[in-house]
């Protein structure tokens, strides 16, 4: 999979919040690139009430990014930025 990425990803450990429909879910950004990220949640991602897109708010930067879900696995999900 790493060979098919458009831009390189870098390891991260950033506190964030996934925001969807007025609900906010704490999470941690585990890797990051200019085009997407891998995000880890304290709960199984299949139990979270997300549509195909949501806002990711990086707490330290105050940055709000619109995301689309690319994959889900256990406690992690991969997203691409719109």
């Amino acid at each position: 999979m790493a060979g098919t990425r458009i831009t390189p990803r870098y390891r991260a450990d950033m506190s964030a919040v996934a925001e969807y429909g007025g609900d906010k879910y704490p999470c941690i950004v585990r890797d990051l690139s200019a085009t997407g990220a891998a995000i880890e949640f304290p709960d199984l991602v299949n139990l979270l009430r997300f549509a195909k897109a949501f806002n990711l708010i990086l707490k330290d930067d105050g940055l709000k990014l619109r995301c689309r879900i690319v994959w889900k696995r256990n406690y992690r999900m991969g997203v691409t930025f719109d």
Side-chain angles (χ1 to χ4, degrees), residues 6-26:
I6 296 169
T7 58
R9 290 202 176 189
Y10 301 95
R11 289 181 191 240
D13 188 20
M14 304 168 70
S15 294
V17 173
E19 179 182 61
Y20 176 74
D23 293 329
K24 294 184 178 183
Y25 303 94

Side-chain angles (χ1 to χ4, degrees), residues 14-55:
M14 304 168 70
S15 294
V17 173
E19 179 182 61
Y20 176 74
D23 293 329
K24 294 184 178 183
Y25 303 94
C27 57
I28 298 172
V29 176
R30 292 297 184 191
D31 70 41
L32 183 66
S33 77
T35 59
I39 306 166
E40 186 174 309
F41 292 87
D43 298 311
L44 290 168
V45 293
N46 289 335
L47 300 178
L48 302 176
R49 296 182 181 167
F50 285 130
K52 294 181 181 180
F54 61 93
N55 291 316

